[in-house]
Amino acid sequence: MPGVGKLDGKVAIVTGASSGIGAATARMLAEEGARVIGGARRVDRVTTEVALELDVTDPASCEAFVAAAGPCNILVNGAGLGLGRDPFVESTEEDERRVFETNVNGLVRMTRLVLQKSMQEPGHIVNLGSIAGRWAYPNGATYVTSKFAVRGFTRALREDLLGQDIRVTTVDSGLVETEFSVVRFRGDVEKAKSVYAGTRPLSADDVADAIMYAVTRPEHVVVDEMVLMSIDQSSGARIHRRES
Ligand SMILES: NC(=O)c1ccc[n+]([C@@H]2O[C@H](COP(=O)([O-])OP(=O)(O)OC[C@H]3O[C@@H](n4cnc5c(N)ncnc54)[C@H](OP(=O)(O)O)[C@@H]3O)[C@@H](O)[C@H]2O)c1
């Protein structure tokens, strides 16, 4: 209903809005009154008020997206992926490039462009980190590295934006059941399902709800870092599974 949301009058950009956490966050931001501009490569799957094609690994695509989106108050950096769960010695140049280009360079690039061209104060940047950016786990070195980088970038950004009314938050989740594992296992749905077998993962809505908490605090309150896990997970590598 117009006129009653906590984010009435705000404009939010959400990357990775075609699926999972980004899509859930975009929906909740709109429910709270924000005008949401969603971006992803599969733009046909983006259901936000304005849906624009975006490939965060492509500087020209990012520039065109930010120019078309115009002024905004909130940027949610939701685009991201992992590729494979193998010992690092089996890693490939191609996979490493894709993961770093998406999770690190893409996120940094979008943040820079939005700050330079369209962020209005009071503003807020929310990065989707991961508990993989806090604890390394086996057979995920490239993804772990990318998420440690996101955490470092978030901390550095907080320092550089001190004195401006622009909040920065990282939301670091454990297992969330989205398309993430299907992408990670290159379309192998059965293998993706096994990641969540016997355990209760978070849902995309659980993470979006945490993001909503951060963006709806009073404007002087920064929710700096959030770590979110299912009751069945205690760290990056420890997951409780029930017998089926
Ligand atoms: N699921 C988990 O267990 C988990 C846990 C902690 C953190 N995270 C993080 O949460 C974020 C969202 O993941 P998710 O779980 O929601 O996965 P998801 O369901 O696979 O969604 C990923 C989103 O990223 C977008 N994306 C990927 N590459 C892109 C690119 N080059 N340009 C633009 N958009 C791109 C995808 O859209 P298109 O393919 O349409 O472009 C999709 O909308 C990621 O950063 C992930 O690392 C996930």
Side-chain angles (χ1 to χ4, degrees):
M1 193 195 302
V4 294
K6 291 185 182 134
L7 299 175
D8 284 346
K10 304 284 187 200
V11 179
I13 288 176
V14 180
T15 75
S18 64
S19 172
I21 298 165
T25 306
R27 193 189 74 243
M28 288 189 196
L29 287 165
E31 283 166 5
E32 225 23 279
R35 177 168 181 268
V36 182
I37 300 153
R41 293 165 303 178
R42 294 169 296 172
V43 70
D44 52 306
R45 290 180 46 163
V46 179
T47 59
T48 48
E49 186 177 330
V50 180
L52 299 170
E53 198 171 328
L54 172 68
D55 181 347
V56 298
T57 69
D58 175 357
S61 169
C62 294
E63 291 207 17
F65 178 93
V66 171
C72 73
N73 311 93
I74 298 168
L75 168 65
V76 179
N77 279 312
L81 83 170
L83 287 174
R85 279 299 306 270
D86 303 302
F88 179 65
V89 70
E90 291 167 27
S91 178
T92 65
E93 175 79 25
E94 194 188 339
D95 284 357
E96 289 158 16
R97 275 184 197 275
R98 242 186 96 199
V99 170
F100 296 148
E101 259 303 321
T102 308
N103 297 3
V104 185
N105 297 32
L107 181 144
V108 167
R109 179 180 296 124
M110 281 301 294
T111 303
R112 168 172 42 77
L113 289 169
V114 166
L115 283 171
Q116 288 173 343
K117 295 177 193 283
S118 60
M119 181 60 83
Q120 307 291 300
E121 296 185 35
H124 199 152
I125 296 163
V126 180
N127 291 335
L128 264 303
S130 166
I131 60 165
R134 293 172 178 267
W135 297 285
Y137 56 73
N139 302 333
T142 305
Y143 183 70
V144 163
T145 304
S146 76
K147 291 300 181 180
F148 267 77
V150 169
R151 187 151 175 241
F153 175 62
T154 305
R155 296 256 46 90
L157 202 56
R158 275 281 278 139
E159 295 298 338
D160 282 8
L161 291 174
L162 189 67
Q164 294 183 54
D165 282 353
I166 302 177
R167 300 185 284 185
V168 185
T169 299
T170 179
V171 178
D172 297 351
S173 307
L175 274 190
V176 189
E177 192 162 10
T178 63
E179 290 177 18
F180 181 83
S181 292
V182 177
V183 173
R184 187 166 213 176
F185 295 118
R186 305 171 208 276
D188 185 336
V189 176
E190 286 313 307
K191 211 166 170 186
K193 271 193 201 149
S194 71
V195 172
Y196 312 107
T199 192
R200 284 175 293 176
L202 298 172
S203 68
D205 278 15
D206 293 329
V207 184
D209 185 50
I211 293 171
M212 292 306 293
Y213 176 80
V215 299
T216 56
R217 290 315 86 206
E219 277 158 7
H220 67 289
V221 177
V222 178
V223 179
D224 199 297
E225 303 186 345
M226 291 179 108
V227 181
L228 215 65
M229 278 181 281
S230 142
I231 187 85
D232 286 341
Q233 185 168 21
S234 59
S235 67
R238 286 203 76 209
I239 296 164
H240 174 67
R241 294 185 196 273
R242 288 164 184 77
E243 301 295 324
S244 56

